[in-house]
Amino acid sequence: MHNMTDEELFRWASMAPKLHGTPYHRVPKVAFMFLVRGDLPLRPLWEKFFEGHHGLYSIYVHTNPSHTGSPPMDSVFYGRMIPSQITTWGGVTLVEAERRLLANALLDLGNERFALLSESCIPLYNFSTVYAVLTVSAAGTSFVESIVTPARYRPLFALRNNISVAQWRKGSQWFEVDRAVAAEVVADGTYFPTFRENCAAEKLCVVDEHYMSTLLSALRWRRNANRTLTFADWDRHRRSGSHPHTHGAEEVTEELIRGIRGGAGRGNCTYNDRASGVCFVFARKFAPDTLEPLLRLAPKAMGFG
């Protein structure tokens, strides 16, 4: 916790080192940033995931400021809530919350990788595997889904920032990025104001699906895999309107976890122009009633607990 305003927070965070490496030796950490609405119903599963890996991760939680609940003092989530603001689905406030989480995480110079998660996310592997994928296998690569599309493009972006429809992108809100990308997002005083202006009078701007991917497109960022490491089931026969399918307790099986880990029928996932043995390291959306079956499955299916 701190008493800084968003303006002060972003100013301090934008002055933090952008690149990997320091004059002294340290072990890089992964910042796990949870953007939630209230409680973390799957918290016990995540506590099992983090167990025994102190010093290799940091946790940040952005929740509704009216939420008064707190995890127990012996939880890794205790005291990890950052000063937060109200968010609304599809609105620019979601991106403001993402930038707030990144800014807080950048203040810790040990954080080199940054993963955005929700209360319905689960890890698909044990901590050692996820850590290795993010810090070793994918070192220097960020995972922001980026799809070329004219959907929701406005001429205002060309007028204000010279962003053409060809540069416009869409993608999953849930990203995994390195410190350089995190710093660009927090320091962005050029493109984000236009997104905020564009969405000021719109209820369903869905800016969270466009800001990060369009920013990297505008910056001509080369070290992006153009995909996310967080799985969501968008099967048109299973999804609910504008939301991916929510997995219930009755669906949680070893076969489900194995299928998602294997790419869920999407073939080999690639980055850096090569095939990756790990397609996804996180998955969503899992309902609160999946906690017990997930805890039972975790030792065999995910390798922890």
Side-chain angles (χ1 to χ4, degrees):
M1 295 297 293
H2 54 74
N3 295 318
M4 287 186 284
T5 64
D6 277 356
E7 182 181 358
E8 293 169 332
L9 171 65
F10 292 146
R11 184 167 62 247
W12 276 106
S14 65
M15 292 189 291
K18 293 183 179 182
L19 303 177
H20 300 288
T22 61
Y24 54 91
H25 175 73
R26 60 176 169 74
V27 177
K29 293 192 293 185
V30 176
F32 292 82
M33 308 178 302
F34 290 84
L35 177 53
V36 304
R37 289 166 291 188
D39 286 322
L40 279 160
L42 302 179
R43 173 176 54 81
L45 180 71
W46 282 100
E47 288 170 340
K48 291 288 186 182
F49 170 78
F50 288 119
E51 195 172 82
H53 299 284
H54 179 74
L56 297 178
Y57 66 87
S58 301
I59 297 173
Y60 303 86
V61 180
H62 186 294
T63 188
N64 191 306
S66 65
H67 178 64
T68 57
S70 173
M73 292 183 66
D74 61 351
S75 170
V76 292
F77 288 91
Y78 181 78
R80 302 313 305 162
M81 288 189 293
I82 68 169
S84 307
Q85 300 292 330
I86 295 174
T87 59
T88 55
W89 182 86
V92 72
T93 54
L94 282 176
V95 177
E96 290 175 336
E98 293 171 14
R99 297 178 79 231
R100 204 172 286 124
L101 281 162
L102 285 169
N104 277 277
L106 279 167
L107 295 179
D108 184 337
L109 301 185
N111 290 329
E112 290 196 0
R113 303 291 295 189
F114 305 76
L116 182 68
L117 302 157
S118 75
E119 67 263 37
S120 69
C121 284
I122 67 166
L124 294 170
Y125 294 88
N126 59 30
F127 182 91
S128 297
T129 301
V130 173
Y131 181 84
V133 169
L134 293 177
T135 63
V136 181
S137 300
T141 300
S142 288
F143 293 82
V144 179
E145 189 175 43
S146 183
I147 301 169
V148 178
T149 176
R152 306 190 187 105
Y153 178 77
R154 303 287 191 277
L156 177 66
F157 290 97
L159 180 66
R160 294 282 191 273
N161 303 127
N162 201 30
I163 296 177
S164 68
V165 67
Q167 293 175 298
W168 186 251
R169 298 290 186 272
K170 178 182 184 293
S172 169
Q173 174 187 8
W174 312 101
F175 57 76
E176 299 82 19
V177 300
D178 65 5
R179 192 170 183 90
V181 170
E184 291 288 349
V185 173
V186 168
D188 176 26
T190 301
Y191 302 101
F192 182 67
T194 307
F195 276 88
R196 183 189 286 142
E197 179 184 352
N198 178 64
C199 294
E202 292 195 30
K203 278 188 176 180
L204 300 178
C205 191
V206 200
V207 63
D208 54 298
E209 292 185 356
H210 294 280
Y211 172 67
M212 286 283 286
S213 51
T214 299
L215 173 66
L216 296 192
S217 173
L219 295 175
R220 298 183 179 181
W221 204 265
R222 303 301 182 194
R223 301 186 305 278
N224 182 35
N226 294 331
R227 69 175 180 88
T228 178
L229 291 174
T230 303
F231 170 81
D233 185 355
W234 283 101
D235 186 298
R236 64 188 180 89
H237 299 296
R238 290 161 57 82
R239 72 186 190 192
S240 175
S242 300
H243 303 279
H245 173 68
T246 297
H247 301 281
E250 70 284 355
E251 297 177 61
V252 177
T253 63
E254 188 176 348
E255 289 71 30
L256 173 68
I257 302 301
R258 189 187 306 119
I260 296 174
R261 283 168 53 153
R266 301 183 186 182
N268 285 332
C269 289
T270 61
Y271 61 87
N272 294 341
D273 298 322
R274 60 185 175 85
S276 169
V278 176
C279 191
F280 300 107
V281 295
F282 308 116
R284 62 186 301 269
K285 302 171 63 175
F286 283 76
D289 69 357
T290 61
L291 176 61
E292 290 305 319
L294 283 169
L295 286 173
R296 288 195 299 270
L297 273 178
K300 184 177 181 181
M302 289 110 95
F304 65 89

